[in-house]
Amino acid sequence: MITTLELHVTSESATPRAVRRAFAEHFATVVTLDDLLLCVSEVLTNAVLHAGEPIVVVAGRNADHIRVEISDGSTAAPVRRSPEHTSPTGRGLHLLDSLTASWGVEVGLQGKTVWFEIAEGST
């Protein structure tokens, strides 16, 4: 993967919005930009709300995909939930299943990295 964007961010409520803006500017020509932004927002929001610092977001191109890695300070892997139809939360991993080519979690001694790859499809 050739790293094209690396952000070190804090656990603040404004962080997901700021990172979405950075991704929107950096990957503006990507056809799948809306899906990319939604997946980044879901994974990053979980890191901000549940994991803690340090949080590092790395993105790059890998063949015909964009790979995003979001690392945080928690060793707890994300848990797939089965939310009620009216619940506003609990769909993040289901979205990754639907919108990405592949995704996974790597847990280490100092934290974890949630990664995903999404088709680039540029204009």
Side-chain angles (χ1 to χ4, degrees):
M1 175 176 79
I2 298 172
T3 301
T4 60
L5 185 64
E6 182 171 338
L7 305 167
H8 296 256
V9 299
T10 57
S11 294
E12 298 177 23
S13 61
T15 294
R17 182 178 7 174
V19 171
R20 275 193 310 272
R21 267 196 307 266
F23 267 73
E25 290 175 15
H26 192 81
F27 294 106
T29 62
V30 173
V31 171
T32 55
L33 181 61
D34 289 340
D35 293 347
L36 175 64
L37 295 178
L38 181 56
C39 291
V40 166
S41 184
E42 285 293 325
V43 176
L44 183 57
T45 297
N46 283 340
V48 167
L49 292 176
H50 305 293
E53 298 175 16
I55 300 173
V56 180
V57 181
V58 177
R61 288 185 160 88
N62 184 1
D64 60 346
H65 289 80
I66 294 171
R67 181 178 173 99
V68 177
E69 299 174 355
I70 300 177
S71 302
D72 60 53
S74 172
T75 58
V79 176
R80 183 180 304 274
R81 299 189 326 187
S82 298
E84 295 293 325
H85 179 69
T86 56
S87 176
T89 62
R91 292 176 180 79
L93 298 182
H94 299 286
L95 285 171
L96 290 180
D97 286 340
S98 297
L99 300 176
T100 67
S102 60
W103 69 273
V105 180
E106 298 170 3
V107 179
L109 295 175
Q110 302 297 316
K112 71 174 168 302
T113 299
V114 177
W115 61 269
F116 64 85
E117 291 186 347
I118 193 163
E120 185 173 346
S122 57
T123 57

